[in-house]
Every structure is written in structure tokens, then in C-alpha cells.
Amino acid sequence: MDPPPDPLAVPPERMTRWEALDAAELARLWGVPELHLFRSVGSTNDVARALAERGCAAGTCVLAEEQTAGRGRASRTWASPPGLGIWMSLVLRPAGLAAPGVLPLLVGLAAAQALDPFCRPAAVQVKWPNDLLLGGRKLGGILCEGAWEQGRLAFVVAGIGLNVLQAPEDFPAELRPGATSLRIAAGWQPPRAEVAGAVLRAVLETTRRPELDRDRLAELEARDALRGRDVVLVEPGAAPLHGRALGINADGALLLRTGCGSLRTVRSGTVRPAEVASPAET
Ligand code: BTN
């Protein structure tokens, strides 16, 4: 298979400022060692991966005003128009990760905690394995992509997409029923630089110790959008499996009590509440 094209071979246009702050000031406020701001890229995850392969520091952040090929899990498209959301990727070099499934949940948990102050009294929920929900609708998503070298994890790119300033009509029609933004749910338009900074600081702090320990599992349990619900697990090439979501374990796996009473530890796949017919984005 041919290697993927290098997204920096023709360097995308950089922005020196974002939300009226210059890049150096944002990097300082956000506590990141390097901040790369672009007007438009295919996917910030690809740019972050290319920088990681060139040896950038852990914590390096890539943010684009627009993505033309933003992606989510399972090769879904992630709508990333300019001016409305936060599309960013962080390079992480976690040591001692118990299981790959831990990281998306840690990033999601940290992001959810950081977003709460922007949408109180509502609380942001985490839907296994990578969705952020507000009022039952999708507020954001996490896409963690790892790179392995000689059998060890060299780095992970944690892509974070957050819907911030969208009005309902800003979402593609098929996503509208299931999508939300901070503006729609909380009724105000928070400064994107503040939201991004809060999320980045929380993610960097949380992933410094990449474990789902007891306290974090308890926090996750409180925010778990699926726990106790009847769900359907969809895995490629397998028949849909009905069961009840019991929670998440320390490896980041979903625990599912199946219809016949057995306990399944689910490490991959897509899960939706049984009452939801066929969501476009979850
Ligand atoms: C999902 O919900 O399936 C995950 C969505 C992740 C979207 C973000 S936006 C920044 C980064 N770049 C991408 O192409 N995807 C992630």
C-alpha cells in the first residue's frame, strides 16, 4: 500500500492569529509547547501526525479554522466549516498506557469536565467510546489515532472536534436532529479561544497520568450516557447485538449484559441506544 500523502509537502496557509489573539499568546495561555494554526487543512489529525513523525514535542497542538476532509470514527465524515467550531489535534506521547481504549475516554472525560462551565447547569456526557453529548445530542467527538514503531506506541494524535457557535441550520440536514452546539444548548456564544484553552489544559493534565483509576471511573460513570440503557452494538461483519450497557472498565472497554444474560467486554464497535433507529453521526 502506498504511504499516505504528506500533508506538509505543500504547507497549508498558516494563521498568525485566531480569535483576535496571536499564536504565541494562545500557546502561552493554553499551555502547549507548539501551536500550529492553519486556515484550512484536510484533517488536523494528519497534520499533527506529520509533525509528530518529524519529532515535535508532546503536547503540540494543531488547530484549523476549517477542515476539508475532517473525519470521525469508522471513516465517517466530520463536518468542519469555518468560524463555528473547534477542530484541533494534540500530539500525545503517553507512557504506560494500560490499553488503547483508555485514551479516548480520558480525553473525552477531560473535555467534558472542561466544557461544563460553558453550559451550566447542564453537564456534558460521555458516550462510549468517543462522543461528547449535551442534552442527548452530539456536541463533539474524539478521534485518537496511534502510531506504532517496533511494537511500541510512538505517539497518539488525539483529534477533538467541538461544535461551538453553530445554529441548527449550520448543520447538514441529516445531522440536525442529533447534533448540538454550545450556542444551541446553552444559549450564548462563548469565545472559542477560551473553550479550546480550557479543553486543552484539561486534556494535557489528565493524560499526563494515562490511567482510568477509581476516581476517574467514578467520574466517567456519572457522565456515562449509556449506563443502564438498552443498547445495540454494531460491529463490522457481525449481526447487531442487543444488550444492556453496564458501564466502562479500567481498560476503557464497555461492559454489556447481552440478551441471553452473558457479560461481554466490548473493545470496539459502535453502540447506540436501542430506542434510536439509525442515527447519522453516533
Ligand atoms: C467522532 O465523533 O467520530 C470523532 C470526531 C473527531 C473530529 C475531530 S476534528 C479535529 C480532528 N481532525 C479530524 O479529522 N477529526 C478530528
Side-chain angles (χ1 to χ4, degrees):
M1 210 164 83
D2 291 338
D6 179 354
L8 297 176
V10 180
E13 187 190 345
R14 288 187 181 262
M15 298 187 291
T16 52
R17 298 166 75 76
W18 188 64
E19 297 286 88
L21 290 164
D22 68 57
E25 178 67 355
L26 286 170
R28 193 187 61 77
L29 288 169
W30 295 354
V32 295
E34 290 178 38
L35 175 62
H36 299 261
L37 297 175
F38 297 100
R39 202 163 298 289
S40 179
V41 299
S43 159
T44 54
N45 267 31
D46 293 338
V47 177
R49 168 182 287 262
L51 290 169
E53 283 166 352
R54 287 163 167 78
C56 73
T60 292
C61 177
V62 174
L63 181 144
E65 185 60 270
E66 174 193 46
Q67 296 186 113
T68 55
R71 61 175 180 272
R73 272 182 80 238
S75 312
R76 291 190 191 102
T77 299
W78 181 262
S80 320
L84 299 174
I86 297 172
W87 327 124
M88 62 184 179
S89 300
L90 259 181
V91 175
L92 302 174
R93 300 185 188 275
L97 194 60
V102 167
L103 215 51
L105 288 163
L106 280 181
V107 173
L109 177 60
Q113 290 171 324
L115 289 168
D116 272 0
F118 297 96
C119 52
R120 285 206 170 104
V124 176
Q125 289 189 297
V126 175
K127 175 176 167 285
W128 184 92
N130 72 321
D131 290 343
L132 298 171
L133 304 187
L134 188 54
R137 293 172 173 217
K138 188 145 168 170
L139 177 69
I142 314 294
L143 180 66
C144 286
E145 297 177 318
W148 300 81
E149 274 167 20
Q150 289 159 359
R152 61 171 268 281
L153 188 61
F155 61 85
V156 175
V157 171
I160 303 172
L162 299 171
N163 300 325
V164 182
L165 301 178
Q166 286 94 335
E169 59 275 16
D170 292 319
F171 290 106
E174 69 280 11
L175 301 184
R176 223 166 275 161
T180 193
S181 68
L182 286 177
R183 174 182 175 184
I184 294 169
W188 69 298
Q189 303 187 43
R192 284 186 298 165
E194 262 182 52
V195 178
V199 169
L200 282 173
R201 283 190 299 271
V203 169
L204 287 174
E205 175 60 31
T206 301
T207 54
R208 202 166 289 160
R209 190 169 50 78
E211 289 167 39
L212 278 170
D213 62 14
R214 229 181 34 185
D215 289 349
R216 287 169 174 183
L217 282 171
E219 178 67 18
L220 205 46
E221 183 177 314
R223 292 178 186 270
D224 186 341
L226 296 175
R227 190 164 191 270
R229 294 179 75 177
D230 290 330
V231 298
V232 182
L233 167 68
V234 183
E235 289 171 297
L241 180 69
H242 288 253
R244 176 158 297 175
L246 301 183
I248 293 165
N249 74 10
D251 284 345
L254 178 77
L255 303 174
L256 194 68
R257 173 80 61 205
T258 66
C260 63
S262 66
L263 184 65
R264 275 277 300 266
T265 304
V266 180
R267 295 181 200 282
S268 64
T270 298
V271 172
R272 60 173 167 80
E275 68 271 18
V276 175
S278 173
E281 254 293 318
T282 55

